[in-house]
Amino acid sequence: MFPSCCSKPSDSGGKRSSFAKLLLGVFVVYMLHTAWLLYGFLNTKPCDGGRGEPCISSYLTARPRLQMSVFTCLMPDNSHLNLAVKIDPFDPHSSFERRVNVSLPEETRANGSLYSVVYVHKAGVSPLDDRREVHYAALLTTYIPRTNTDSQKRSSPGSQNSVSHWRPHLSVTMMSEDFTFNKAGLPSDVRRYMRVSQEGRQMVYLPLLLIDELSFRVRDLMEISSSTLQLPLTVSYEGISLRRFRFWVHLQDVVYSLRQFGFTEENIDEIKETLVSSNLYLLLLTALITALQLICEFLALKNDIVSWGKKKSMAGMSRKSVLWRSLCTLLIFLHLLEETSLLVLLPVALAASVEVWKVFKVFKIHVQWRSCRLLVNKLDEEERKTVEIDTQASSYLSYLVYPLCISGAIFSLAYLRQRSYFSWIMNSLVTGAYTFGFLSMVPQLFINHKLKCVSHLQGTVLMYRGVNTLISDLCSCASIFSLSGSLLSSHQLSCFRDELLFLFYLYQRRRYAPKARRREGGIHSKKVKTQ
């Protein structure tokens, strides 16, 4: 009755397989290249002085008597320095923490900024008179928008909508390992922080000083008002190895890149928690899982576009499922538009565009650009029967979804604080999309059950998305049960969605596919006898 269930799908496996192999090959090459870089990153060869190679030894090898001085100023290298913390003598291999109260100048209290300058220099000598001193400047203030609606966007200093906030923690790190570098093979990440002092033919690099920006959190900020005269500052220090120093530098570069891509400070804080609280092997595993998810999502999207582009008949395809999935994706895109970065928005926008295109395909709507008209093609008998079954399944599903969505919206309006009625409507719609978006597959499963057929679906796409969803759910479970796990957002909670429905589809595929193959074999044998 349904030829789409009996006919053999078009054989595009060769092209799909070749493209998938090419993509997987690129992924393997990229991972091998990354592993090679990590090997060089974790195993920096020291200079042994053989073959006349120029070596750069550490200034700390001579065990000089050092002092650490932390100053505050309005502008580094261009204003008066106020001493806040003095550590004399200073042991680079030690760890300590000092808590002091810092007096705020009038310019800082008037929504201005304040810098800290950390000096490591000879004990008993002013850092300005020591030619072998090293220093590092960092902001002690940051600007946060005044209103909640703009809290996701960074404002420039001096803006009327932003308020200066105090950063109560200053984490100082320095490479205390006695390591001798080869001048020819000096790592680029170390070269940025290195100052070399040369006396005759001997080259000595000064201590590698670094301010740890990964320990900074938005939730720890303290607002600075005009009446604030003093604020607490905790200065901590830790001596680290070369491996950890390079690791810290790379992580801070990653955080800087995320800011350039438009990530909010709240999202960056979550990433910092993951980076700081995890060991290297867990980070590598996380990167591998993320890469696999990207590969699966890309292959699913590619196969989805190819399969829908070749579809001529919409028999067996659920209109309501496609329309529902399209609306949910558009709502999620509009919700993320105000609170996330461009890097996250681009894949969601691409997925939303594909879903809207599929709506035009399944409803057989064609656009005539010359006359600016929409043409709707007529349905054949098989497609009309599919629409009837689809309507029946959607009516059954509405008895469950609509009361739950309406009751959830009423509950949020009655017990949760809302900025406006428009915000309440948008949050209710997005929550419904996150919570019940996975139910868009139910009408399609109902159609499969009625037709006893699954050949009209692209099994490869569902397999890729099922694997991707399973990985997301496992990662979300691990983050919940880990000691450092925090509450998940609605976007993360939406990962717990369609495992049950996907397993039900696998059951249908196993049950109905043999019947389709037997029918296909019977038709083929009849053709042979006829010939």
Side-chain angles (χ1 to χ4, degrees):
M1 181 176 181
F2 276 79
S4 61
C5 297
C6 305
S7 60
K8 186 177 181 180
S10 59
D11 185 15
S12 61
K15 295 181 179 179
R16 180 171 65 248
S17 176
S18 61
F19 184 82
K21 288 180 180 179
L22 177 62
L23 188 62
L24 290 177
V26 173
F27 171 70
V28 170
V29 171
Y30 172 75
M31 294 303 297
L32 291 176
H33 176 68
T34 304
W36 175 255
L37 291 179
L38 286 174
Y39 175 77
F41 164 69
L42 296 175
N43 296 274
T44 307
K45 287 186 177 182
C47 181
D48 55 3
R51 299 180 183 179
E53 296 178 346
C55 299
I56 308 176
S57 58
S58 174
Y59 174 67
L60 301 177
T61 304
R63 300 292 188 269
R65 189 170 182 269
L66 299 176
Q67 174 182 328
M68 175 182 286
S69 303
V70 181
F71 296 90
T72 60
C73 60
L74 295 176
M75 289 295 295
D77 302 328
N78 197 21
S79 61
H80 179 68
L81 298 177
N82 298 308
L83 182 63
V85 177
K86 176 182 177 181
I87 307 297
D88 185 13
F90 167 63
D91 183 9
H93 303 277
S94 65
S95 299
F96 60 83
E97 185 174 292
R98 298 288 188 274
R99 181 181 175 89
V100 295
N101 290 322
V102 177
S103 299
L104 302 182
E106 184 178 354
E107 293 83 354
T108 304
R109 297 198 302 269
N111 204 25
S113 58
L114 191 66
Y115 285 83
S116 66
V117 184
V118 181
Y119 281 92
V120 175
H121 56 96
K122 287 184 179 180
V125 179
S126 173
L128 303 179
D129 298 331
D130 186 8
R131 64 184 183 87
R132 289 193 169 185
E133 56 81 20
V134 290
H135 64 277
Y136 197 104
L139 269 171
L140 289 176
T141 57
T142 187
Y143 286 89
I144 299 296
R146 188 185 303 272
T147 58
N148 291 332
T149 56
D150 298 331
S151 61
Q152 305 295 332
K153 299 180 180 179
R154 301 285 298 168
S155 299
S156 59
S159 174
Q160 295 180 355
N161 294 327
S162 58
V163 179
S164 182
H165 285 66
W166 180 256
R167 301 170 62 169
H169 300 286
L170 181 66
S171 180
V172 184
T173 59
M174 192 173 73
M175 196 194 84
S176 57
E177 181 181 351
D178 186 6
F179 192 89
T180 303
F181 290 98
N182 189 334
K183 183 180 179 181
L186 190 62
S188 59
D189 48 7
V190 176
R191 188 183 296 115
R192 286 184 292 165
Y193 295 87
M194 180 178 288
R195 283 182 54 203
V196 178
S197 175
Q198 186 167 1
E199 293 183 358
R201 303 181 67 178
Q202 183 181 9
M203 289 183 293
V204 176
Y205 67 91
L206 301 179
L208 302 177
L209 192 63
L210 180 67
I211 300 296
D212 180 16
E213 295 288 343
L214 299 177
S215 60
F216 163 67
R217 300 289 183 272
V218 175
R219 62 175 178 266
D220 298 331
L221 293 176
M222 305 168 63
E223 183 176 345
I224 301 176
S225 63
S226 57
S227 59
T228 306
L229 299 180
Q230 287 186 338
L231 283 174
L233 177 65
T234 302
V235 180
S236 60
Y237 168 80
E238 182 182 8
I240 58 177
S241 61
L242 171 62
R243 182 179 300 179
R244 190 176 175 189
F245 179 86
R246 297 187 63 186
F247 186 58
W248 242 234
V249 169
H250 280 272
L251 290 185
Q252 295 193 163
D253 290 343
V254 169
V255 172
Y256 176 78
S257 301
L258 294 177
R259 285 197 179 97
Q260 301 306 309
F261 277 113
F263 275 69
T264 63
E265 290 296 334
E266 287 77 9
N267 292 334
I268 291 178
D269 275 2
E270 295 178 1
I271 297 174
K272 287 179 181 178
E273 292 282 356
T274 304
L275 295 177
V276 174
S277 60
S278 304
N279 57 34
L280 179 60
Y281 300 103
L282 185 58
L283 288 177
L284 294 178
L285 180 61
T286 303
L288 180 61
I289 290 175
T290 304
L292 289 176
Q293 284 189 298
L294 290 176
I295 291 291
C296 290
E297 189 66 29
F298 180 79
L299 290 176
L301 187 62
K302 174 255 178 188
N303 284 276
D304 202 16
I305 295 174
V306 171
S307 63
W308 275 86
K310 295 180 179 179
K311 275 186 180 297
K312 302 300 181 182
S313 173
M314 294 299 155
M317 300 303 300
S318 171
R319 287 183 164 193
K320 301 297 176 62
S321 293
V322 176
L323 182 61
W324 195 339
R325 194 181 308 116
S326 175
L327 292 176
C328 290
T329 309
L330 286 174
L331 284 173
I332 292 172
F333 172 73
L334 294 176
H335 175 66
L336 297 176
L337 190 62
E338 297 183 353
E339 65 172 25
T340 190
S341 65
L342 185 63
L343 190 64
V344 178
L345 282 176
L346 287 178
V348 179
L350 180 60
S353 303
V354 173
E355 294 298 334
V356 172
W357 170 69
K358 288 161 63 174
V359 170
F360 279 81
K361 290 280 293 185
V362 77
F363 281 89
K364 291 195 168 185
I365 301 174
H366 298 278
V367 182
Q368 287 188 345
W369 298 105
R370 293 183 178 179
S371 58
C372 297
R373 290 190 305 172
L374 296 178
L375 297 180
V376 182
N377 294 343
K378 293 183 179 180
L379 304 178
D380 56 25
E381 182 181 354
E382 299 172 1
E383 292 173 338
R384 282 195 295 269
K385 183 173 182 180
T386 301
V387 172
E388 293 176 0
I389 301 174
D390 192 20
T391 304
Q392 182 182 3
S394 300
S395 62
Y396 293 157
L397 190 62
S398 63
Y399 299 149
L400 171 66
V401 175
Y402 291 158
L404 291 177
C405 289
I406 294 174
S407 60
I410 295 174
F411 175 83
S412 64
L413 181 63
Y415 295 99
L416 300 179
R417 180 177 296 179
Q418 307 290 338
R419 293 197 299 266
S420 62
Y421 283 105
F422 177 77
S423 176
W424 167 67
I425 293 174
M426 286 301 299
N427 289 333
S428 300
L429 291 175
V430 171
T431 303
Y434 276 131
T435 307
F436 303 108
F438 71 97
L439 294 178
S440 62
M441 190 68 180
V442 172
Q444 184 62 64
L445 296 176
F446 187 76
I447 292 175
N448 298 344
H449 172 69
K450 288 292 185 178
L451 301 182
K452 310 298 182 183
C453 176
V454 294
S455 60
H456 46 266
L457 295 179
Q458 181 67 13
T460 308
V461 176
L462 296 175
M463 286 294 181
Y464 282 132
R465 288 179 175 167
V467 172
N468 206 358
T469 302
L470 180 61
I471 294 174
S472 300
D473 292 347
L474 292 176
C475 293
S476 299
C477 289
S479 63
I480 288 177
F481 292 105
S482 64
L483 295 176
S484 59
S486 56
L487 291 178
L488 299 178
S489 63
S490 57
H491 189 58
Q492 291 170 317
L493 287 174
S494 68
C495 292
F496 295 98
R497 51 192 188 273
D498 49 357
E499 263 73 17
L500 183 61
L501 298 180
F502 179 69
L503 292 176
F504 192 73
Y505 161 76
L506 292 180
Y507 166 75
Q508 289 183 334
R509 184 180 177 87
R510 182 175 180 83
R511 182 179 180 183
Y512 301 143
K515 295 182 179 180
R517 286 195 293 268
R518 285 197 297 267
R519 285 196 296 266
E520 182 182 344
I523 295 173
H524 181 69
S525 62
K526 288 180 181 179
K527 288 182 179 180
V528 172
K529 291 179 179 179
T530 303
Q531 293 175 355

